[in-house]
Amino acid sequence: MLRRVKLLIRGVVQGVGFRPFVYNLANELELKGFVLNNSSGVLVDIEGKSENLKLFMEKLQSQKPKNSIIESVEQECDCEPLHRKEFIIKDSIEESDRCALMPTDKAICPECLKELKDSSNRRYNYPFINCIDYGPRYTIIKKLPYDRVNTSMDSFTMCHECQEEYHNPLDRRFHAQPNSCSKCGPKLTLLRNNGTALIEGEKSIEITAKMIKKGEIVAIKGMGGFHLVCDASKANVVQKLRDKKKRPTKPFAVMFKSFADIMKCSSIQECEAELINSSERPIVLVEKKKPHRLEKFCIASELIAPNNTKMGVFLPYTPIHILLLEKLNTPIVCTSANISDESIIADSKGVLEKLQDVATYVLDYDRKIINPCDDSVVDVFDGEVKMVRRARGYAPANIKLPIKSTKKILALGANQKNTIAIGFEDNTLISPHIGDIDNLDTYSYFEQNVRLFGSVYDFTPEVVVCDAHPEYASTKYAKTLGKEILQVYHHHAHTLSVLAENGALETKVLGVSWDGSGYGEDGTIWGGEFLEVDGVECKRIGHFRKFKLLGGNRAIKEPRRSALGLLYEIYGDEAFSLGLPFLKSFKEDELEALQKMCKSDINSTQTSSVGRLFDAIAAILEVLYISSYEGEAGVCLEYEAASECDEVYGFELKDGVIDTKQIVEGVIADRGDVPKAAAKFMNTLASIAVAIAKNRGLPMALSGGVFLNGYLLKAIKKEANKEGVEYLINKRVPSGDGGISLGQIAYAALKYK
Ligand code: ZN
Ligand code: FE
């Protein structure tokens, strides 16, 4: 019997070889009709024998392309058969209801890799080789549907051979939008840092390798932006990069030629290996091996990730990186080309303007990056991925909520480590990591992302969600949009982000929300919070004893100021005569000014932040006086902590306030044994959280930047298991402020479900 059905397939079904797959499957089963991309997904109109149609439906699910995700298949059955003679792929049609998901960028596939190295292949050593499985996607897309004309490949006309592949349904490059070859595709140029071209074409890679070997710093255009690259085995060059980038201690990532090379530098767990080799190719934080083992392999690891138990490693993900590393035979430091915390630079003009003093050469190419995108950074906890920075490969993949919103939502995130998100029904599409939007350049990148998500999805929000902080750039921006605004308190949003990604939005929990800073209900800076969260309801039931942040923002950069503020809170003027060594790091007049600040309310606010408590402890223990990146105190204390120590300090909980006096006294007494003091301090934090959750009879939702700390998480897990307390953590979005936009979407979705 002849039957005809229409199917609308939603999910990640564009840019992943879905139409060719449908085409081949239809022909295999002698079915007729057509397939096309529309703005909602893939539309299939198909007819033939009913048993073959049944098989088609089965194989659609079981044999779908490996990078595709089918979220739903809408069926219109029993349509009148049209007795068509063939199955074809039709041109895309545009509609206003856009739900198709933007495909994410994928690392080079094994087959392309084989061709790249095959001297008889026409794409031998071609630095822009790609296929339907692999290549740039999100970074080159201007709008949906994902067709070549809507990408930055629109300026390259395919040669005859490429055309043939593109139109041949049996070819790997059938409808591969960035398809090209050395005759018709993008080209490399190696520039001097004065902007003049040194050499063009594939030879540029060889010269770049030579320069790196000589100890030069080269800016190299990757998939989502430029990296600053240098030889990871040369300590003096790595130091030069640190000096020039004004980045004294923040860790760099290292790109290795092969997985085998990574194994020489680290002991890798199974889950880490999977992530390193995955098609997302994130930077994976792995344990550093002891320095003497590293020396054999010549990595300047202590300069690459100072005072850090871990090190960020990744494998090459574009052919350019692969070809370069083959010529080099040494791992390379690969750090985003930008100045401190600005967004990643994506064109050579920007590199030449801003990094002329840092990079001596610039390896550029002429395919435009439409949407700049940083490398993703992931960690592993308990055998599972834990997102640190969500960007290339992961963004803007959909995070499904367990509830459906009746309104279209735009969430603007926090100020630091900003991400934005849009939400409709049960979908949440989160932008890649944007950065600290206090900075002008990053702020315009933030605006660009809001515009991009609006235009790609033809999305006009009905509700805009932002932080409660009146001074956040995102809050001010929200107020210019003329829409209904929901302001969500920072730590409430953190907690909701955990619940959202764990499908537990309607579970009542104890939100343990610990970070550096967030605007609190009383106008002070919160960050050591215990919140009873029940959906949109949030009640603060406890917090750490507050202390003064001496000199506002300067206190955030100088852990020694937090130490003084904390000690003054506990000991009053006596703090100055405790004879603690960190006090000597201040100049005498500075110390006098700080003492005045302690006594008055000038230039100082109160905080309950655990991030600042970490700072204070790190300074008292003489581990860190001045920090050069956010969270450094936590990283240093984790590095110092003795893993075998189970001891804890005492603490007191009175009227919802956790008194830190006994912790501070204990740390001062244990000062001579830093590993023990650091471990005891973090063990204590774990036991405080678990004790309060147990007392309330609630599961914990742990969120906030403090929970990037692996030691602390392990300590909490151990204590929670012992006490029978359940806990949820962030995995798919960062526990830091990069996850705030998801929490904000969740808030609005709960309000308008
Ligand atoms: Zn070609
Ligand atoms: Fe936060």
Side-chain angles (χ1 to χ4, degrees):
M1 201 183 75
L2 203 63
R3 274 186 60 210
R4 175 175 162 229
V5 292
K6 284 188 207 167
L7 308 170
L8 178 60
I9 306 160
R10 294 179 200 261
V12 182
V13 288
Q14 295 186 4
V16 289
F18 210 89
R19 286 177 303 172
F21 156 67
V22 169
Y23 176 92
N24 288 321
L25 187 57
N27 279 323
E28 182 191 313
L29 296 167
E30 296 178 331
L31 298 167
K32 316 293 177 197
F34 66 85
V35 56
L36 61 79
N37 277 350
N38 67 16
S39 315
S40 305
V42 166
L43 188 76
V44 187
D45 187 330
I46 194 164
E47 60 183 270
K49 285 189 193 143
S50 70
E51 62 266 31
N52 287 9
L53 275 175
K54 204 176 147 230
L55 271 174
F56 178 84
M57 293 304 291
E58 282 168 20
K59 292 189 172 184
L60 192 67
Q61 296 285 353
S62 65
Q63 297 180 1
K64 65 180 195 309
K66 68 165 185 253
N67 290 324
S68 67
I69 300 168
I70 297 179
E71 281 180 353
S72 67
V73 181
E74 267 172 51
Q75 290 192 42
E76 199 185 312
C77 300
D78 304 320
C79 307
E80 189 66 31
L82 299 172
H83 302 282
R84 286 175 288 209
K85 295 276 175 288
E86 56 178 357
F87 194 92
I88 55 168
I89 295 180
K90 279 198 183 175
D91 283 339
S92 305
I93 45 168
E94 283 187 49
E95 292 165 61
S96 58
D97 171 31
R98 291 168 193 226
C99 293
L101 302 179
M102 270 192 275
T104 54
D105 303 297
K106 292 282 181 266
I108 189 164
C109 76
E111 254 166 289
C112 281
L113 193 60
K114 225 188 282 162
E115 290 185 12
L116 184 70
K117 292 181 177 178
D118 173 5
S119 59
S120 67
N121 191 284
R122 72 185 194 93
R123 288 194 180 82
Y124 177 56
N125 282 345
Y126 177 54
F128 300 94
I129 186 170
N130 67 78
C131 69
I132 201 71
D133 281 334
Y134 136 74
R137 301 276 187 275
Y138 170 77
T139 49
I140 58 166
I141 215 168
K142 291 176 196 165
K143 60 175 195 166
L144 288 175
Y146 176 65
D147 278 336
R148 190 164 172 122
V149 287
N150 292 334
T151 71
S152 58
M153 282 304 289
D154 64 343
S155 55
F156 300 93
T157 312
M158 274 183 274
C159 69
H160 180 68
E161 279 170 292
C162 285
Q163 284 266 5
E164 273 192 351
E165 294 166 340
Y166 185 86
H167 291 295
N168 176 6
L170 300 174
D171 197 277
R172 289 202 308 122
R173 297 195 168 84
F174 180 56
H175 284 226
Q177 306 306 343
N179 189 28
S180 65
C181 71
S182 54
K183 267 189 262 169
C184 65
K187 286 198 169 50
L188 289 169
T189 311
L190 184 63
L191 303 164
R192 300 180 187 90
N193 63 353
N194 62 13
T196 58
L198 181 71
I199 187 163
E200 283 186 10
E202 283 157 36
K203 197 130 203 289
S204 309
I205 293 182
E206 209 180 299
I207 309 296
T208 302
K210 262 188 199 148
M211 297 307 174
I212 292 171
K213 264 188 209 160
K214 266 171 65 183
E216 302 286 1
I217 297 164
V218 185
I220 298 177
K221 190 169 175 179
M223 207 180 268
F226 279 85
H227 284 129
L228 288 169
V229 173
C230 74
D231 187 337
S233 68
K234 293 193 169 77
N236 60 333
V237 182
V238 178
Q239 188 57 51
K240 183 169 83 179
L241 179 58
R242 288 213 172 277
D243 295 344
K244 288 193 166 187
K245 222 191 156 192
K246 297 191 181 64
R247 176 161 157 156
T249 51
K250 193 174 177 181
F252 287 139
V254 182
M255 189 186 271
F256 291 79
K257 184 176 153 189
S258 69
F259 186 66
D261 283 354
I262 292 180
M263 300 275 281
K264 290 181 200 157
C265 288
S266 171
S267 18
I268 308 273
Q269 307 168 30
E270 199 180 314
C271 173
E272 292 165 344
E274 260 171 50
L275 286 162
I276 290 168
N277 290 300
S278 72
S279 63
E280 285 84 9
R281 290 284 155 93
I283 294 169
V284 184
L285 301 179
V286 297
E287 209 118 309
K288 265 187 330 197
K289 272 190 187 168
K290 291 274 174 289
H292 70 277
R293 312 246 332 240
L294 285 167
E295 274 156 23
K296 270 188 220 158
F297 198 62
C298 294
I299 290 211
S301 76
E302 273 318 306
L303 275 172
I304 285 163
N307 306 322
N308 210 318
T309 47
K310 293 197 163 184
M311 172 170 76
V313 301
F314 59 153
L315 287 177
Y317 51 93
T318 74
I320 299 178
H321 296 129
I322 287 169
L323 295 169
L324 178 71
L325 282 165
E326 235 154 48
K327 299 236 151 53
L328 264 172
N329 256 324
T330 164
I332 47 177
V333 166
C334 256
T335 179
S336 301
N338 57 11
I339 302 176
S340 62
D341 288 322
E342 289 185 13
S343 49
I344 189 165
I345 300 174
D347 58 20
S348 54
K349 198 173 144 252
V351 175
L352 294 169
E353 260 171 37
K354 293 186 172 173
L355 298 171
Q356 205 171 33
D357 300 335
V358 184
T360 30
Y361 296 92
V362 181
L363 183 61
D364 192 19
Y365 60 79
D366 56 353
R367 183 183 69 213
K368 201 169 178 255
I369 294 172
I370 305 290
N371 307 308
C373 193
D374 253 300
D375 292 316
S376 289
V377 182
V378 302
D379 199 355
V380 166
F381 176 71
D382 232 0
E384 276 187 88
V385 62
K386 195 173 174 315
M387 204 60 66
V388 176
R389 180 167 74 195
R390 194 169 181 275
R392 177 184 51 76
Y394 295 99
N398 194 3
I399 293 188
K400 286 270 181 185
L401 297 185
I403 53 167
K404 276 191 181 178
S405 164
T406 55
K407 295 210 179 188
K408 291 183 175 178
I409 314 157
L410 168 66
L412 297 171
N415 241 38
Q416 273 80 47
K417 304 198 173 0
N418 175 280
T419 58
I420 62 130
I422 61 170
F424 50 94
E425 297 175 1
D426 56 351
N427 302 294
T428 315
L429 305 177
I430 306 176
S431 75
H433 166 86
I434 291 173
D436 296 356
I437 59 171
D438 282 334
N439 176 284
L440 266 186
D441 272 351
T442 315
Y443 182 75
S444 69
Y445 180 47
F446 159 83
E447 284 183 307
Q448 184 194 329
N449 267 280
V450 174
R451 277 196 304 271
L452 171 80
F453 275 70
S455 67
V456 164
Y457 291 103
D458 213 357
F459 185 88
T460 313
E462 293 156 293
V463 187
V464 177
V465 202
C466 62
D467 200 273
H469 200 308
E471 295 306 317
Y472 272 9
S474 46
T475 308
K476 290 178 178 166
Y477 177 82
K479 295 188 171 157
T480 66
L481 296 175
K483 305 276 176 191
E484 180 191 344
I485 293 178
L486 295 176
Q487 286 189 272
V488 187
Y489 282 101
H490 190 89
H491 299 97
H492 188 190
H494 267 312
T495 302
L496 288 176
S497 78
V498 184
L499 301 184
E501 66 158 300
N502 283 287
L505 269 180
E506 292 172 296
T507 312
K508 188 175 172 183
V509 295
L510 177 75
V512 181
S513 196
W514 295 353
D515 63 2
S517 67
Y519 188 79
E521 284 164 28
D522 57 3
T524 66
I525 297 170
W526 290 14
E529 312 310 311
F530 293 89
L531 311 167
E532 214 169 77
V533 172
D534 191 0
V536 292
E537 304 299 326
C538 176
K539 199 174 130 210
R540 187 196 206 193
I541 60 144
H543 63 84
F544 281 82
R545 181 174 172 181
K546 291 183 175 181
F547 60 88
K548 264 186 185 176
L549 274 181
L550 305 171
N553 274 342
R554 275 194 76 180
I556 294 172
K557 299 233 158 73
E558 297 183 20
R560 57 185 184 166
R561 284 177 181 242
S562 284
L564 195 51
L566 176 67
L567 292 170
Y568 188 83
E569 168 66 29
I570 290 166
Y571 298 105
D573 274 328
E574 232 181 90
F576 291 85
S577 48
L578 289 171
L580 291 172
F582 83 92
L583 285 166
K584 293 199 193 83
S585 72
F586 291 110
K587 292 192 196 97
E588 220 156 284
D589 53 332
E590 219 176 348
L591 211 51
E592 265 168 46
L594 286 167
Q595 195 156 13
K596 274 186 200 142
M597 238 185 258
C598 285
K599 291 181 181 181
S600 69
D601 280 330
I602 309 160
N603 203 8
S604 62
T605 43
Q606 296 268 327
T607 189
S608 54
S609 158
V610 173
R612 297 292 86 81
L613 184 61
F614 264 92
D615 281 358
I617 301 300
I620 293 171
L621 291 176
E622 299 157 58
V623 167
L624 186 71
Y625 292 161
I626 296 179
S627 76
S628 69
Y629 63 94
E630 210 204 24
E632 188 171 4
V635 167
C636 292
L637 287 181
E638 189 179 348
Y639 184 67
E640 297 288 345
S643 53
E644 67 284 355
C645 173
D646 282 329
E647 293 171 53
V648 291
Y649 296 119
F651 66 93
E652 214 180 323
L653 178 70
K654 224 195 282 162
D655 303 326
V657 179
I658 297 135
D659 195 351
T660 44
K661 189 172 182 232
Q662 290 182 54
I663 299 177
V664 173
E665 283 171 353
V667 167
I668 292 175
D670 286 338
R671 218 156 41 84
D673 187 350
V674 174
K676 181 173 148 192
K680 274 176 89 171
F681 165 62
M682 290 186 278
N683 294 345
T684 311
L685 293 181
S687 63
I688 292 170
V690 174
I692 293 178
K694 195 174 180 192
N695 181 264
R696 290 268 157 177
L698 289 173
M700 293 187 283
L702 311 170
S703 194
V706 165
F707 292 104
L708 292 172
N709 187 312
Y711 183 98
L712 179 64
L713 266 187
K714 264 182 225 151
I716 289 187
K717 181 190 165 187
K718 200 166 155 192
E719 184 71 11
N721 288 347
K722 198 173 92 195
E723 298 294 329
V725 171
E726 282 180 68
Y727 65 95
L728 296 170
I729 60 169
N730 288 112
K731 288 173 191 159
R732 298 175 64 199
V733 298
S735 62
D737 285 1
I740 288 284
S741 60
L742 173 63
Q744 292 175 342
I745 293 277
Y747 181 88
L750 280 163
K751 196 153 175 115
Y752 293 114
K753 66 178 179 202

